[in-house]
């Protein structure tokens, strides 16, 4: 299934960008495998997915569903998960202000609206 991903296609179309120029297909596959494992471990540490003890299974947690349904990026989801359950408005505002994708400059003519 990995060979059908966007990432695999990018490695094949632009191997220079990923440092794969002159590498065999087996070396490219190994690079892709390592990147996938690193990403899964990072998602696990952030409590977005649960890895099964056998190392083969993967269980999505609530955060992964929120990310996929609402197109929330990984860094934003880490901030959301880090909030305490009894977070108040000030904590929510602080967390939202730290999400890079939400920070948009206000144009001069929009300040009056």
């Amino acid at each position: 299934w990995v060979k059908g991903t966007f990432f695999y296609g990018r490695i094949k179309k632009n191997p220079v960008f990923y440092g794969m120029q002159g590498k065999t297909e087996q070396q490219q596959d190994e690079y892709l495998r390592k990147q996938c494992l690193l990403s899964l471990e990072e998602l696990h540490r952030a409590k977005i997915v649960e890895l099964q003890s056998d190392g083969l299974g993967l269980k999505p947690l609530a955060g992964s569903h929120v990310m996929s349904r609402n197109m929330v990026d990984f860094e934003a989801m880490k901030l959301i998960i880090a909030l305490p359950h009894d977070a108040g408005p000030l904590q929510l505002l602080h967390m939202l202000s730290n999400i890079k994708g939400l920070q948009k400059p206000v144009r001069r003519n929009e300040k009056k609206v």
Side-chain angles (χ1 to χ4, degrees), residues 17-67:
F17 181 80
Y18 298 98
M20 296 286 112
Q21 186 176 15
K23 304 282 183 174
T24 66
E25 188 167 339
Q26 184 178 9
Q27 289 171 322
Q28 290 178 3
D29 290 347
E30 181 62 22
Y31 170 78
L32 184 64
R33 187 185 74 76
K34 284 182 182 179
Q35 292 302 313
C36 287
L37 288 175
L38 288 172
S39 295
L40 286 172
E41 288 171 9
E42 198 170 1
L43 289 166
H44 176 68
R45 279 194 304 276
K47 297 182 176 126
I48 295 172
V49 298
E50 188 176 283
L51 299 175
Q52 302 298 323
S53 59
D54 61 5
L56 301 173
L58 177 68
K59 178 183 176 188
L61 300 176
S64 64
H65 296 295
V66 170
M67 287 176 72

